């Protein structure tokens, strides 16, 4: 199945993933510098949430495409995608 996302949705997911990538690099530096365990765990939890949100956004977009009629107005589709994403996040 091909990832078919609108440009704004794709940009949001990519931005989230790039931030997570930066956070991971920061975590590696923290470990190399011998930083406090609690600080490292806090950052790991933050990057985990960022990755979850990116994944859920992709899942919600895919479900939206499956569930919506192509003739539906964009606003309704965006609202549906947001509702689906919120639902998935509530399960995480």
């Amino acid at each position: 199945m091909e990832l078919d996302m609108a440009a704004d949705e794709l940009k949001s997911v990519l931005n989230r993933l790039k931030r997570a990538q930066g956070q991971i690099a920061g975590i590696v530096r923290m470990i190399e510098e011998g930083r406090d365990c609690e600080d490292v765990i806090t950052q790991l939890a933050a990057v985990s949430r960022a990755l979850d949100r990116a994944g859920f956004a992709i899942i919600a977009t895919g479900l939206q495409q499956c569930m919506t009629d192509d003739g539906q107005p964009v606003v309704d589709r965006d609202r549906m995608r947001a509702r689906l994403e919120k639902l998935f996040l509530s399960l995480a």
Side-chain angles (χ1 to χ4, degrees), residues 13-23:
V13 169
L14 287 174
N15 285 340
R16 206 170 263 153
L17 291 172
K18 287 176 183 179
R19 277 194 303 272
Q21 186 177 32
Q23 285 177 298

Side-chain angles (χ1 to χ4, degrees), residues 49-90:
R49 285 189 304 273
L51 291 173
D52 286 345
R53 288 189 61 86
F56 289 137
I58 292 169
I59 291 168
T61 300
L63 281 175
Q64 172 202 355
Q65 291 170 356
C66 290
M67 295 175 64
T68 59
D69 179 22
D70 288 343
Q72 197 173 19
V74 172
V75 175
D76 292 341
R77 289 194 318 253
D78 289 345
R79 201 170 313 154
M80 171 72 80
R81 189 198 60 75
R83 285 178 39 215
L84 288 168
E85 184 176 347
K86 184 177 179 180
L87 176 63
F88 273 101
L89 287 171
S90 72

Side-chain angles (χ1 to χ4, degrees), residues 16 18-28 43 46-48 50:
R16 206 170 263 153
K18 287 176 183 179
R19 277 194 303 272
Q21 186 177 32
Q23 285 177 298
I24 291 170
I27 292 167
V28 169
Q43 290 305 308
V47 77
S48 178

Side-chain angles (χ1 to χ4, degrees), residues 17-45:
L17 291 172
K18 287 176 183 179
R19 277 194 303 272
Q21 186 177 32
Q23 285 177 298
I24 291 170
I27 292 167
V28 169
R29 278 192 305 276
M30 291 173 73
I31 292 170
E32 290 172 344
E33 294 169 358
R35 295 275 299 271
D36 183 65
C37 178
E38 188 174 343
D39 293 339
V40 172
I41 297 299
T42 299
Q43 290 305 308
L44 283 170

